[in-house]
């Protein structure tokens, strides 16, 4: 029975098919696009590497015999072939929609040197060196981009053709008339050998140089002990007429217990833009899975204490000062320091629209009096709605951000110290939020998160444009080995 039709394999196959279909439906959280300009830069860098590899190409010795009138068969042997230079002066790259990429190299030239020996049994022998010029080399390579089981980028040579139009051998030696008799057969033999060797070298350069390089594109980026980013490809790269598009998961996940995000990625309508080599579409999904993971890890809870408020500030975080606004406070808890426990009631979600980036976290502020025995007595709970505008930027390798806070809208949710007007606390809460909490959050956002980039690749000439539900970054890239 053929292996593929074995009954025990069917469930696995069904499962794999389902997996493929299911994942096709989901939108990526992060999209990468390489434009023609980017492909052209990749071509330049790639061809430079290929040129070095071709210069290391090893040609086999070859030998044979040829027939000369009167003399009969003469044996020849060419050995020690060594490539001096291999130049690839002109090349181009073109996307083949739905297939991959095609790299064409034309008018390449190579210069070789080597040793020769001819021998007619017992009659005579001669040896010397030769120079060989190989011109009009054209190479055409098809590259197929794909993804492996772990969502890494892969590349393979789908086809390779090499053609040499001109081989000129210059043999130095005494018996010039003799060499002219066989140089044609040498030239055509060399051409065939070299054409095959070129494609062998191209194929091995793709698997030993290009492939490991592409695999440096991270599929996960650990941020800290709490979160990592899943940058795995959700489907194989798609080649269109003028770009290669990569769909990445673009999802933050918990390092301790990964669970599916409670919301799906939105669809991104990617604009057509060609000025930069690379474009990244970063959807709200990316930012909001981050928010969700950090919220669930409980790290969005902050304590605000009196010691954090500068000395010159006359409003203190104690029951005496706040007793002026909350009549019962000082009676019930005379002359005690207080603590405010601040935490969002749910993971704050970023909204991205063409005109703005904003979020409106709903934050619970729980106030406690610190009793003489250090235990906490609950005082009241205020709900604060905080209009926040966000800025996101990229530097050469990371996404960074910062937040700016608008005026808090306060409402009293619960009080153990009688009714009072929350507006009177606007100043101290506003100060706590904008001067104590926000700088901590912004310092953390300024550290940023790593972009999914290949090793030694840095971005410059960055542009940034918000669209509905995603940010578009454009950048040129530079490979800095
Ligand atoms: C891609 O190019 C082909 C041929 O040049 C053309 O027929 C096709 O309409 C193009 N597709 C897009 C999406 O531009
Ligand atoms: C509370 O603040 C007032 C100043 O407004 C200060 O005189 C008093 O000592 C403070 N009380 C405590 C317990 O820190
Ligand atoms: C601290 O003091 C309060 C009131 O004085 C009391 O109710 C509470 O049980 C004490 N807590 C501890 C841990 O001793
Ligand atoms: C990019 O930002 C990160 C975090 O702020 C910083 O560590 C890094 O040095 C920056 N890189 C450049 C090239 O400015």
């Amino acid at each position: 029975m053929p292996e593929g039709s074995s009954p025990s394999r069917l469930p696995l196959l069904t499962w794999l098919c389902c997996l493929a279909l299911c994942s096709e439906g989901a939108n990526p959280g992060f999209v990468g696009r390489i434009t023609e300009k980017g492909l052209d830069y990749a071509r330049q860098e790639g061809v430079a590497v290929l040129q070095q590899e071709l210069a290391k190409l090893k040609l086999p010795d070859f030998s044979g015999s040829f027939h000369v009138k009167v003399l009969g068969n003469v044996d020849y042997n060419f050995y020690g072939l060594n490539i001096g230079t291999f130049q690839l002066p002109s090349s181009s790259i073109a996307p083949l929609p739905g297939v991959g990429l095609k790299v064409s190299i034309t008018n390449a030239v190579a210069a070789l040197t080597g040793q020769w020996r001819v021998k007619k049994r017992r009659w005579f022998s001669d040896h010397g060196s030769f120079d060989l010029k190989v011109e009009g080399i054209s190479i055409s390579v098809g590259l197929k981009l794909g993804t492996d089981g772990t969502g890494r980028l892969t590349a393979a040579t789908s086809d390779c053709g090499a053609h040499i139009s001109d081989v000129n051998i210059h043999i130095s030696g005494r018996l010039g008339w003799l060499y002219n008799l066989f140089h044609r057969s040498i030239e055509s033999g060399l051409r065939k050998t070299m054409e095959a060797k070129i494609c062998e070298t191209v194929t091995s350069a793709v698997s030993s140089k290009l492939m490991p390089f592409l695999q440096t594109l991270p599929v996960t980026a650990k941020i800290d002990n709490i979160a990592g980013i899943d940058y795995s490809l959700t489907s194989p790269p798609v080649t269109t007429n003028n770009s290669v598009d990569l769909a990445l998961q673009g999802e933050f996940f918990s390092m301790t217990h990964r669970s599916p995000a409670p919301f799906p990625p939105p669809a991104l309508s990617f604009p057509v833009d060609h000025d930069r080599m690379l474009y990244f579409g970063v959807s709200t999904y990316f930012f909001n899975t981050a928010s969700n993971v950090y919220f669930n890890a409980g790290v969005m809870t902050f304590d605000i204490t009196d010691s954090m408020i500068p000395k010159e500030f006359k409003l203190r975080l104690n029951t005496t000062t706040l007793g002026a606004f909350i009549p019962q406070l000082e009676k019930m808890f005379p002359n005690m320091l207080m603590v405010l426990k601040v935490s969002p009631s749910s993971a704050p979600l970023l909204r991205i629209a063409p005109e703005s980036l904003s979020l409106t976290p709903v934050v619970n502020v729980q106030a406690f009096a610190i009793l003489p025995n250090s235990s906490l007595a609950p005082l009241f709970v205020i709900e604060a709605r905080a209009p926040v505008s966000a800025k996101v930027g990229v530097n050469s390798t990371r996404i960074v951000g910062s937040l700016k806070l608008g005026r808090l809208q306060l409402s009293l949710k619960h009080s153990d110290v009688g009714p009072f007007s929350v507006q009177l606390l606007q100043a101290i809460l506003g100060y706590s939020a904008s001067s104590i909490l926000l700088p901590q959050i912004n310092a953390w956002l300024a550290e940023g998160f790593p972009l999914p980039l290949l090793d030694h690749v840095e971005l410059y000439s960055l542009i940034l444009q918000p669209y509905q539900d995603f940010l578009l970054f454009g950048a040129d890239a530079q490979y800095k080995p």
Side-chain angles (χ1 to χ4, degrees):
M1 190 179 347
E3 232 185 79
S5 61
S6 132
S8 67
R9 294 217 156 196
L10 281 177
L12 176 66
L13 274 177
T14 322
W15 183 74
L16 284 174
C17 291
C18 165
L19 209 72
L21 288 176
C22 297
S23 63
E24 252 173 42
N27 294 310
F30 198 108
V31 176
R33 169 168 291 176
I34 309 163
T35 62
E36 282 178 298
K37 185 181 177 190
L39 290 174
D40 203 56
Y41 180 68
R43 169 197 58 83
Q44 278 176 41
E45 295 290 327
V47 165
V49 173
L50 184 60
Q51 181 168 297
Q52 290 169 12
E53 293 300 300
L54 286 170
K56 292 188 236 159
L57 188 152
K58 290 270 172 289
L59 289 171
D61 300 351
F62 60 104
S63 53
S65 61
F66 59 101
H67 190 79
V68 182
K69 258 187 211 152
V70 186
L71 289 177
N73 279 349
V74 178
D75 299 326
Y76 66 82
N77 185 12
F78 279 69
Y79 59 100
L81 278 80
N82 192 22
I83 298 206
T85 62
F86 210 122
Q87 305 281 333
L88 307 177
S90 86
S91 56
S92 64
I93 191 166
L96 295 177
V99 181
L101 297 166
K102 186 184 173 70
V103 180
S104 308
I105 294 164
T106 52
N107 291 323
V109 293
L112 288 81
T113 56
Q115 306 293 317
W116 60 270
R117 188 185 303 126
V118 291
K119 193 169 166 212
K120 172 70 194 167
R121 213 166 356 118
R122 275 177 295 159
W123 284 36
F124 69 89
S125 70
D126 195 6
H127 64 91
S129 60
F130 67 89
D131 295 318
L132 191 71
K133 274 185 89 178
V134 185
E135 289 174 324
I137 308 171
S138 51
I139 310 170
S140 160
V141 186
L143 281 179
K144 188 168 167 47
L145 300 174
T147 172
D148 66 11
T150 63
R152 282 186 191 279
L153 189 55
T154 60
T157 315
S158 57
D159 63 83
C160 177
H163 178 77
I164 295 171
S165 67
D166 214 4
V167 176
N168 284 305
I169 192 162
H170 175 76
I171 298 173
S172 50
R174 292 170 294 133
L175 306 167
W177 61 272
L178 184 59
Y179 313 133
N180 282 332
L181 294 173
F182 67 88
H183 81 162
R184 291 234 162 272
S185 72
I186 297 301
E187 285 168 4
S188 85
L190 247 168
R191 172 185 299 157
K192 287 208 183 70
T193 310
M194 206 163 154
E195 284 171 350
K197 277 284 172 187
I198 286 172
C199 277
E200 225 172 78
T201 304
V202 167
T203 306
S204 104
V206 167
S207 60
S208 72
K209 299 276 169 182
L210 180 61
M211 180 78 164
F213 178 59
L214 294 183
Q215 302 239 312
T216 65
L217 193 69
V219 288
T220 53
K222 186 186 170 192
I223 305 302
D224 48 33
N225 289 331
I226 297 166
I229 308 175
D230 181 344
Y231 275 134
S232 59
L233 288 162
T234 59
S235 55
V238 174
T239 313
T240 69
N241 273 4
N242 40 34
S243 68
V244 174
D245 290 353
L246 306 176
L248 275 52
Q249 187 71 24
E251 177 188 309
F252 278 72
F253 61 91
S254 161
M255 297 297 285
T256 51
H257 49 277
R258 184 165 185 171
S259 56
F263 37 74
L268 313 186
S269 54
F270 221 76
V272 182
D273 225 330
H274 305 293
D275 293 344
R276 298 291 193 277
M277 294 180 192
L278 299 174
Y279 286 92
F280 295 108
V282 191
S283 91
T284 48
Y285 188 72
F286 179 83
F287 300 104
N288 291 339
T289 51
S291 177
N292 191 54
V293 168
Y294 285 103
F295 174 78
N296 287 337
V299 294
M300 289 191 183
T301 299
F302 299 89
D303 281 0
I304 296 174
T305 60
D306 186 63
S307 61
M308 296 174 180
I309 298 173
K311 293 282 165 283
E312 60 278 14
F313 213 71
K314 60 184 201 310
L315 274 178
R316 304 310 311 173
L317 203 49
N318 69 37
T319 54
T320 314
T321 307
L322 295 190
F325 311 116
I326 310 167
Q328 290 194 40
L329 190 57
E330 235 221 314
K331 282 189 211 116
M332 292 172 69
F333 302 97
N335 201 30
M336 291 176 194
L337 285 171
M338 289 170 60
V339 59
L340 302 178
K341 289 190 176 290
V342 179
S343 61
S345 57
S346 60
L349 299 183
L350 179 69
R351 286 181 303 273
I352 304 178
E355 61 285 349
S356 70
L357 276 66
S358 62
L359 49 164
T360 317
V362 176
V363 177
N364 286 322
V365 181
Q366 291 177 278
F368 296 89
I370 304 171
L371 301 180
N373 64 6
S374 306
S375 63
L376 300 180
L379 303 177
F380 53 83
V381 180
I382 289 174
E383 186 183 272
R385 283 176 186 274
V388 175
S389 60
K391 265 197 192 155
V392 176
V394 268
N395 76 7
S396 52
T397 57
R398 295 171 81 84
I399 301 185
V400 295
S402 69
L403 301 178
K404 192 163 169 260
L405 187 65
R407 187 180 164 82
L408 298 177
Q409 296 160 318
L410 305 176
S411 58
L412 186 61
K413 285 286 149 195
H414 175 82
S415 176
D416 294 308
V417 290
F420 63 94
S421 163
V422 285
Q423 294 322 313
L424 299 170
L425 299 185
Q426 182 81 44
I428 194 157
L429 292 180
Y431 177 85
S432 302
S434 61
S435 301
I436 299 173
L437 291 187
L438 210 57
Q440 290 182 41
I441 296 169
N442 280 339
W444 181 70
L445 291 175
E447 297 262 317
F449 310 114
L451 285 164
L453 293 176
L454 293 161
D455 267 3
H456 308 296
V457 170
E458 288 191 0
L459 304 180
Y460 66 100
S461 303
L462 301 156
I463 50 163
L464 187 144
Q465 178 72 48
Y467 284 83
Q468 191 59 46
D469 298 328
F470 73 101
L471 286 173
L472 182 75
F473 293 119
D476 285 333
Q478 191 169 17
Y479 178 67
K480 288 185 167 172

